[in-house]
Amino acid sequence: METTLRGVGVSHGVAIGEVRHMGTAVLEPPAKQIPVEDAEREQSRAHQAVEAVSADLIARGNLAGGEAQAVLEAQALMAQDPELMADVERRIAVGSTAERGVYDAFASYRALLANAGEYLAGRVADLDDVRNRIVARLLGVPMPGVPDSDEPYVLIARDLAPADTALLDPALVLGFVTEEGGPTSHSAILARALGVPAVVALPGAGEIGEGTVIAVDGSTGDIFVEPSAEKRAELTTAAAARKAALSASSGPGATSDGHKVPLLANIGGPADVAAAVAAGAEGVGLFRTEFLFLDDSKQAPSEEKQIAAYRAVLEAFPEGRVVVRVLDAGADKPLDFLTPADEPNPALGVRGLRSLLDHPDVLRTQLTALAEAAAGLPVYLEVMAPMVADRTDAKAFADACREAGLSAKFGAMVEIPSAALRARSILQEVEFLSLGTNDLAQYTFAADRQVGAVSRLQDPWQPALLDLVALSAEGAKAEGKSCGVCGEAAADPLLACVLTGLGVTSLSMGAASIPYVRSALAKHTLAQCERAAAAARATDTAEEARAAAQAVLSGE
């Protein structure tokens, strides 16, 4: 009998197939004591396992490239955390085996993260995955993971670790569903990059039986269990119609009455460029430069290495716009040479621009490398700072750009509510704004983007978030400057129309979403988008906002 479940759709498309569950295993080692003379050997085993797991994660990242590479390299750093390893050594020294020492040390660290709030609690799934990989290696058992199958299937998991999501084979994994996660979790971001339909935050997903046929609508978040032939046909027809509409849509982003809305790509490095160009991106709206810095947490990459990486991206967009975000370190992306190790709440501490202003040599080298990389190229380079709180921050960044001889435009990311509230003040110092809606929602609602239990507060349709977007866009318009969106909100075709109606001047997203957004904008006038935006802001919940905008744009 057909039943319908509702989660959070995070990656467009429809997948219909049999369920396969992510493999699980009990990896708790026995709590047995070892002789004191064996401690050094066990400590050596632990270190070897950690190094092997770190190397494997980095290798997986190199293979996957792009967004996945940065995520997996961050996990590798997590495995090698010096305080964590010191705890492992202490436990072994008093009689634990290597595997038990690792298990207990990670359990202790896990409890700290789970109670830390904000970013850190959401990293528990990543930490558990690292622990399982190390313990499995020490025990000599296979890692639980993506199931083996010769036939395509829909994958269901409690959550997907980045190492698993990054290497999913779209030819076999038709789509995936998770019980946890949120619209801006690592799994969601990587699913969009892969172009795999996905639904997250679906309670009880694990109870759907192995082999059950389900249909996953990654646009609406609907899951149809044992769908009827009619429902399958309906979904298949709708998916085909969407695909045809996408194929017919090309060229620059614009509303049906010709209002231009440049559609840009979010990228993590040179590996993402090909997909962005293939999708027709008009440039890059968010070039995350962290991937270069995660190779070695002990020191920053050389200026020469940075120049080569930046130039590879800039050369791909002649006459196009490339917006580079300088290093955003701290919180869930700690770097030994840059971020404090003893902050009680790193998400609210020295991260982003604050870290760079504390280490002006790192910022200066990056800005100089960007200037050199752009030299002689017909590209419109723009450079922006993450986590700008006020005009003082904006001025400090602008001054650093000038001192480095950067001729590009420089701007500020709006990720903190104070920046949205004081947008006009900040724009006295910089030339553009770019809204990072992922972090802006996180800080507005005190809701970590990795925690499924608070995913409703991470919904970019929340009217309070739309209010902050409108404030930023209005401030930019008053100053005659631009205000784009580079957060995941821009990847929702319906919301892209609303953002345009709010006054946003460009939209940047994962490459796979660009055709969907281009097609949606082309169906509506600017006036329709403005009415949809006003209708959404007049509501009180995310669900009501989406429904109100949909009603306006569908002519109801």
Side-chain angles (χ1 to χ4, degrees):
M1 178 179 173
E2 178 180 313
T3 57
T4 304
L5 305 173
R6 171 64 66 84
V8 179
V10 296
S11 185
H12 303 296
V14 171
I16 303 174
E18 292 187 0
V19 164
R20 295 287 182 273
H21 286 271
M22 176 71 80
T24 57
V26 177
L27 291 174
E28 181 173 357
K32 62 180 182 182
Q33 291 292 107
I34 61 168
V36 174
E37 58 268 22
D38 289 346
E40 187 174 341
R41 183 196 66 195
E42 292 295 291
Q43 289 171 341
S44 177
R45 286 182 63 227
H47 278 281
Q48 289 173 6
V50 166
E51 291 301 324
V53 167
S54 297
D56 177 63
L57 289 168
I58 290 171
R60 284 169 176 258
N62 290 336
L63 185 61
E67 296 272 9
Q69 186 170 12
V71 172
L72 294 176
E73 287 176 347
Q75 264 197 301
L77 291 177
M78 182 182 285
Q80 296 174 312
D81 183 274
E83 290 189 14
L84 194 52
M85 284 310 299
D87 191 18
V88 171
E89 290 182 349
R90 284 194 295 270
R91 293 174 187 275
I92 294 174
V94 295
S96 288
T97 60
E99 46 267 40
R100 190 70 206 190
V102 168
Y103 186 88
D104 289 340
F106 271 73
S108 177
Y109 196 41
R110 186 187 197 280
L112 291 174
L113 288 187
N115 294 320
E118 294 294 334
Y119 273 96
L120 299 182
R123 298 304 175 267
V124 166
D126 291 1
L127 184 71
D128 286 347
D129 181 58
V130 171
R131 177 203 64 201
N132 286 349
R133 291 176 185 279
I134 298 171
V135 172
R137 190 170 190 91
L138 288 166
L139 291 174
V141 300
M143 260 299 298
V146 177
D148 290 328
S149 177
D150 295 328
E151 298 296 325
Y153 58 91
V154 176
L155 180 64
I156 290 184
R158 181 182 63 80
D159 201 355
L160 281 171
D164 294 315
T165 314
L167 297 182
L168 290 179
D169 181 356
L172 282 177
V173 181
L174 302 172
F176 68 76
V177 180
T178 65
E179 293 193 50
E180 300 184 359
T184 58
S185 65
H186 286 151
S187 293
I189 291 170
L190 295 177
R192 285 188 283 270
L194 286 166
V196 176
V199 171
V200 301
L202 179 68
E207 297 173 13
I208 301 174
E210 186 85 3
T212 302
V213 174
I214 67 172
V216 179
D217 190 330
S219 299
T220 64
D222 288 330
I223 304 292
F224 302 94
V225 181
E226 298 289 6
S228 64
E230 292 78 12
K231 176 58 72 175
R232 294 192 203 191
E234 175 189 328
L235 290 170
T236 301
T237 299
R242 284 199 292 263
K243 186 174 182 180
L246 293 178
S247 299
S249 177
S250 61
T255 58
S256 62
D257 56 340
H259 175 72
K260 294 185 184 301
V261 187
L263 302 181
L264 312 170
N266 293 345
I267 68 170
D272 292 337
V273 167
V277 172
E282 298 169 59
V284 173
L286 173 61
F287 178 5
R288 302 178 178 95
T289 58
E290 290 81 54
F291 80 101
L292 273 172
F293 292 79
L294 292 171
D295 284 341
D296 184 353
S297 69
K298 306 296 182 185
Q299 59 182 359
S302 67
E303 184 173 333
E304 292 72 23
K305 181 177 181 179
Q306 291 190 55
I307 291 171
Y310 302 149
R311 195 170 182 89
V313 172
L314 296 175
E315 286 177 336
F317 295 96
E319 305 297 335
R321 176 187 179 199
V322 176
V323 184
V324 178
R325 181 178 71 189
V326 293
L327 176 61
D328 183 13
D332 62 327
K333 294 172 286 189
L335 293 171
D336 291 348
F337 67 89
L338 198 66
T339 48
D342 56 353
E343 286 188 306
N345 192 340
L348 300 179
V350 183
R351 64 164 295 197
L353 179 62
R354 299 167 188 174
S355 294
L356 293 174
L357 294 178
D358 280 351
H359 298 80
D361 53 324
V362 175
L363 177 58
R364 187 183 309 109
T365 298
Q366 185 169 25
L367 294 174
T368 302
L370 284 165
E372 180 62 27
L377 295 181
V379 65
Y380 297 96
L381 174 64
E382 300 183 10
V383 182
M384 61 185 181
M387 304 303 294
V388 171
D390 56 15
R391 183 172 178 174
T392 299
D393 279 352
K395 183 179 187 305
F397 179 66
D399 288 345
C401 289
R402 295 188 190 95
E403 289 169 10
L406 199 65
S407 59
K409 285 186 176 181
F410 30 88
M413 290 198 70
V414 178
E415 301 165 283
I416 302 173
S418 62
L421 294 168
R422 302 289 293 174
R424 292 192 67 176
S425 172
I426 287 172
L427 284 167
Q428 304 308 304
E429 305 294 342
V430 295
E431 299 170 83
F432 67 93
L433 299 177
S434 184
L435 286 139
T437 52
N438 306 349
D439 269 321
L440 184 58
Q442 181 163 246
Y443 287 113
T444 298
F445 297 103
D448 192 295
R449 62 197 243 184
Q450 296 294 319
V451 179
V454 294
S455 62
R456 78 171 186 86
L457 295 172
Q458 264 293 328
D459 192 325
W461 282 94
Q462 286 284 356
L465 187 66
L466 298 181
D467 288 344
L468 291 175
V469 173
L471 277 174
S472 303
E474 289 163 4
K477 183 178 181 180
E479 296 297 327
K481 296 179 179 180
S482 64
C483 176
V485 168
C486 64
E488 291 298 314
D492 179 337
L494 181 61
L495 185 51
C497 294
V498 168
L499 294 173
T500 298
L502 292 174
V504 166
T505 55
S506 65
L507 299 167
S508 188
M509 65 211 75
S513 298
I514 290 175
Y516 292 91
V517 172
R518 181 191 294 120
S519 177
L521 285 172
K523 296 174 184 174
H524 306 290
T525 65
L526 176 59
Q528 287 175 314
C529 292
E530 290 172 341
R531 288 198 296 273
R537 289 183 67 191
T539 64
D540 294 313
T541 69
E543 293 78 11
E544 291 172 353
R546 175 184 280 276
Q550 182 67 66
V552 170
L553 294 178
S554 62
E556 296 176 8

